């Protein structure tokens, strides 16, 4: 497993286990509430005066995530029962505890704005300028998020009368007229599909904002394979993340329907990364086999980075003269070794296997060096080359995004989506933003402790 090579004096979990009063104070020193306040507060002085403490309401919603309070109803109960907790959230003695309807109206206002994305972007930029983010290598992955919506019933197939027969398809080759009609129908069908139902390469011409507007956000059935290779089904959403492999900061986060293919969100995530954080010098994008698509390699290349994506064979047969990692093999079946990469000619260099030096069949005619151009097949030839020790060492960094997914579910309520439909996006964004704020807070405390020790 990939271990982060940095000294950790004060961890994220230590911050969450501190006394609530200290945790909240540190958290809101890092997280600026004012942008959220501008979204939810009244825009005019006319009409009835505001009776709600919006600052305290907003702070209590973030505190609900940190304290792992399951519902708004439970949050209100705790605010009513504990004067100390309500004071920590920012409520005064004269303030009345808002109703659930008031919280719902506030959350709906937040949903219609982009305040979460802007605050997340600002925190990441702060972390970068303070030296906490390296971002030379980033990882992409998705995780399932169960919805609170009621699961739809299966549709019953219309039963046909017993005396009728289903029309059978004509077997054999289509005539010229039938084929032209069939091609016309397929073209119309393709044009009427939504953007994320089309092929991945169609996304290349769209901007990040255009892609985000087309993302489906209704709960749907999703399927994944567990560690035993069996299909596991869930009803809900998918959370897609881009994470810095070293610091584990969330750089871009998107929520989609549960039936969305992982690879179809790679280009929106990468475009969002390039647009929102141009200051990051990304050299490597790491992902699993679900992202092994040529348009994704091209998008990574357009960012000036290298893609390190696990190969998905898709029923492809192993070619003669190559091993399973597409390395050349000698007459005795030994794989050539990855040597180096030539950036001038974009070629990967392989040298003779060690076994060839003592091979009795080596008559001096075995080729000593093979060079493969990456552009010949971007899926097969990566930097470093597949199967090499350097490839395995770099690919281990992908576990950073899995670790962040686990953090979000265990400590930041991502596995406890309480709102239905599109409002579930607010729960997701609360979880991601609270995680980022806590991460930056912990890093700042670490830095303060180190400085204090060095000057002591």
């Amino acid at each position: 497993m990939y271990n982060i090579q940095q000294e950790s004096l004060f961890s994220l979990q230590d911050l969450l286990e501190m006394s609530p009063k200290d945790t909240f104070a540190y958290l809101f020193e890092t997280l600026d509430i004012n942008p959220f306040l501008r979204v939810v507060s009244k825009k005019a002085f006319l009409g009835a005066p505001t009776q709600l403490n919006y600052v305290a309401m907003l702070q209590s919603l973030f505190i609900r995530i940190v304290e792992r309070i399951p519902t708004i109803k439970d949050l209100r109960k705790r605010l009513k029962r504990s004067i100390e907790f309500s004071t920590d959230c920012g409520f005064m003695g004269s303030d009345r505890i808002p109703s659930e309807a008031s919280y719902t109206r506030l959350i709906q206002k937040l949903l219609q704005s982009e305040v979460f994305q802007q605050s997340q972007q600002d925190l990441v930029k702060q972390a970068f300028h303070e030296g906490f983010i390296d971002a030379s290598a980033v990882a992409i992955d998705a995780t399932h998020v169960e919805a609170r919506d009621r699961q739809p019933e299966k549709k019953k197939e219309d039963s046909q009368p017993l005396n009728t027969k289903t029309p059978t398809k004509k077997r054999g080759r289509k005539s010229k007229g039938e084929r032209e009609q069939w091609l016309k129908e397929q073209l119309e069908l393709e044009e009427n599909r939504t953007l994320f139902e089309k092929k991945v390469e169609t996304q290349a011409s769209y901007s990040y904002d255009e892609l985000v507007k087309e993302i489906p956000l209704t709960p749907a059935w999703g399927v994944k394979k567990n560690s035993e290779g069996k299909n596991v089904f869930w009803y809900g959403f998918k959370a897609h993340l881009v994470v810095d492999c070293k610091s584990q900061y969330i750089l871009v986060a998107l929520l989609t329907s549960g039936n969305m293919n992982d690879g179809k969100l790679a280009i929106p995530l990468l475009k969002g990364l390039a647009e929102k954080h141009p200051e990051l010098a990304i050299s490597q994008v790491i992902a699993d086999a679900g992202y092994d698509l040529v348009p994704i390699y091209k998008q990574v290349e357009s960012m000036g980075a290298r893609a390190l994506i696990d190969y998905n064979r898709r029923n492809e047969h192993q070619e003669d003269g190559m091993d399973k990692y597409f390395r050349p093999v000698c007459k005795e079946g030994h794989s050539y070794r990855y040597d180096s990469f030539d950036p001038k000619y974009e070629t990967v260099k392989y040298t003779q296997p060690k076994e060839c030096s003592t091979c009795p069949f080596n008559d001096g005619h075995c080729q000593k060096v093979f060079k493969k151009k990456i552009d010949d097949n971007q899926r097969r030839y990566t930097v470093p080359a597949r199967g090499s020790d350097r490839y395995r060492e770099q690919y281990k960094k992908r576990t950073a995004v899995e670790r962040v997914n686990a953090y979000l579910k265990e400590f930041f309520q991502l596995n406890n989506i309480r709102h239905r439909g599109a409002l579930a996006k607010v729960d997701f964004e609360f979880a991601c933003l609270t995680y980022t704020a806590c991460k930056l807070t912990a890093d700042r405390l670490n830095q303060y402790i180190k400085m204090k020790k060095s000057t002591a």
Side-chain angles (χ1 to χ4, degrees):
M1 182 167 287
Y2 174 64
N3 294 318
I4 298 176
Q5 301 297 321
Q6 62 181 12
E7 185 181 5
S8 181
L9 301 174
F10 189 89
S11 69
L12 183 62
Q13 192 167 349
D14 291 333
L15 175 67
L16 299 177
E17 291 176 356
M18 290 174 63
S19 65
K21 189 173 182 179
D22 292 336
T23 302
F24 304 157
Y26 286 132
L27 175 63
F28 293 114
E29 280 182 12
T30 302
L31 182 62
D32 187 9
I33 294 294
N34 289 322
F36 295 86
L37 188 61
R38 286 193 287 270
V39 171
V40 301
S41 58
K42 286 183 63 177
K43 302 298 185 292
F45 293 102
L46 302 177
T50 302
Q51 297 180 349
L52 297 174
N53 187 340
Y54 285 124
V55 174
M57 288 179 71
L58 289 166
Q59 291 186 162
S60 66
L61 288 174
F62 285 102
I63 289 171
R64 182 182 80 85
I65 302 297
V66 175
E67 289 290 291
R68 287 168 251 177
I69 301 173
T71 63
I72 299 295
K73 184 177 181 180
D74 293 325
L75 174 63
R76 292 187 68 254
K77 284 182 180 178
R78 187 164 173 184
L79 288 170
K80 286 183 176 181
R81 292 175 181 174
S82 174
I83 296 176
E84 182 181 2
F85 179 73
S86 62
T87 304
D88 290 340
C89 290
F91 288 101
M92 304 296 180
S94 59
D95 293 331
R96 67 179 180 87
I97 303 302
S99 64
E100 288 187 57
S102 298
Y103 272 109
T104 300
R105 287 193 292 270
L106 182 141
I107 289 171
Q108 287 174 341
K109 288 182 180 180
L110 295 176
L111 176 66
Q112 297 167 4
S113 70
E114 296 183 357
V115 65
F116 285 104
Q117 296 88 334
Q118 188 60 49
S119 296
Q120 174 79 15
Q121 184 177 345
D122 292 341
L123 288 179
V124 170
K125 286 185 176 181
Q126 289 176 32
F128 171 75
H129 291 303
E130 293 176 29
F132 299 128
I133 293 181
D134 176 60
S136 58
V138 300
I140 304 177
D141 201 9
T143 185
H144 72 283
V145 180
E146 294 189 7
R148 191 164 172 78
D149 303 64
R150 180 176 294 180
Q151 300 172 358
E153 296 180 0
K154 293 182 179 180
K155 295 180 180 180
K156 296 182 179 179
E157 296 181 359
D158 298 330
S159 57
Q160 293 183 342
L162 296 176
N163 57 352
T164 60
K165 294 183 179 180
T166 56
T168 57
K169 293 183 179 180
K170 183 179 178 181
R171 301 181 67 181
R173 189 173 180 178
K174 294 183 176 66
S175 65
K176 185 176 179 180
E178 289 175 336
R179 178 167 177 76
E180 290 178 354
Q181 180 64 25
W182 179 78
L183 289 173
K184 185 178 179 181
E185 291 174 357
Q186 292 299 313
L187 184 61
E188 291 178 357
L189 184 64
E190 183 68 20
E191 289 177 352
N192 292 329
R193 287 176 178 169
T194 62
L195 178 58
F196 284 91
E197 289 176 340
K198 296 178 181 179
K199 294 182 178 179
V200 177
E201 49 264 32
T202 59
Q203 300 176 8
S205 59
Y206 290 85
S207 67
Y208 171 73
D209 292 332
E210 290 172 336
L211 291 170
V212 169
K213 288 179 182 178
E214 296 293 327
I215 291 177
L217 202 55
T218 54
W221 282 103
V223 60
K224 65 172 184 176
K225 287 189 181 294
N226 60 13
S227 58
E228 299 175 354
K230 296 181 180 179
N231 288 335
V232 178
F233 296 88
W234 82 94
Y235 183 74
F237 307 94
K238 262 188 182 180
H240 305 259
L241 304 179
V242 179
V243 172
D244 177 26
C245 291
K246 187 174 182 181
S247 63
Q248 298 182 26
Y249 276 89
I250 299 174
L251 304 178
V252 184
L254 293 172
L255 188 71
T256 68
S257 300
N259 60 352
M260 181 63 64
N261 183 276
D262 293 359
K264 290 193 174 181
L265 260 291
I267 290 180
L269 288 170
L270 293 171
K271 286 194 173 187
L273 182 62
E275 181 179 316
K276 292 177 179 294
H277 304 292
E279 69 277 2
L280 301 180
I282 298 163
S283 59
Q284 202 169 62
V285 177
I286 309 171
D288 61 21
Y291 299 88
D292 184 29
L293 299 167
V294 174
I296 298 175
Y297 286 91
K298 290 182 178 179
Q299 182 63 37
V300 174
E301 187 181 11
S302 69
M303 298 167 58
R306 298 286 177 189
L308 212 64
I309 303 175
D310 206 8
Y311 195 80
N312 187 348
R313 292 198 170 271
R314 303 191 188 94
N315 298 323
E316 298 172 9
H317 297 290
Q318 186 172 329
E319 294 184 14
D320 294 335
M322 292 184 179
D323 66 2
K324 63 179 180 179
Y325 297 116
F326 309 104
R327 298 176 297 189
V329 294
C330 67
K331 296 177 181 179
E332 288 299 298
H334 300 298
S335 299
Y336 276 63
R337 296 172 294 168
Y338 168 65
D339 180 83
S340 60
F341 169 70
D342 187 347
K344 182 178 180 180
Y345 298 102
E346 293 285 312
T347 56
V348 178
K349 180 181 177 182
Y350 297 93
T351 57
Q352 269 189 341
K354 291 181 180 178
E355 293 81 0
C356 287
S357 60
T358 57
C359 178
F361 300 99
N362 186 3
D363 52 2
H365 293 87
C366 287
Q367 189 168 335
K368 293 184 178 181
V369 173
F370 277 94
K371 291 185 178 181
K372 300 288 186 181
K373 288 188 70 68
I374 289 179
D375 290 341
D376 291 344
N377 196 320
Q378 290 179 315
R379 292 179 57 226
R380 292 185 176 183
Y381 304 114
T382 60
V383 181
R386 298 187 184 280
S388 65
D389 292 338
R390 277 178 275 180
Y391 178 92
R392 285 189 285 268
E393 192 64 28
Q394 292 295 318
Y395 188 76
K396 287 178 183 177
K397 296 179 181 181
R398 195 190 67 84
T399 57
V401 68
E402 296 177 346
R403 198 175 294 114
V404 172
N405 285 332
Y407 261 120
L408 290 174
K409 289 186 175 182
E410 185 174 355
F411 297 107
F412 296 94
Q413 303 255 35
L414 187 59
N415 61 345
N416 184 35
I417 296 293
R418 306 303 299 185
H419 290 95
R420 295 181 172 88
L423 277 175
K425 184 181 178 183
V426 177
D427 288 340
F428 168 70
E429 290 179 328
F430 262 116
C432 293
L433 184 58
T434 308
Y435 168 84
T436 304
C438 289
K439 187 76 178 66
L440 181 55
T441 302
D443 285 343
R444 285 175 173 174
L445 286 171
N446 256 334
Q447 189 179 58
Y448 173 74
I449 293 171
K450 289 179 182 178
M451 289 177 62
K452 196 172 181 181
K453 282 189 175 183
S454 63
T455 56

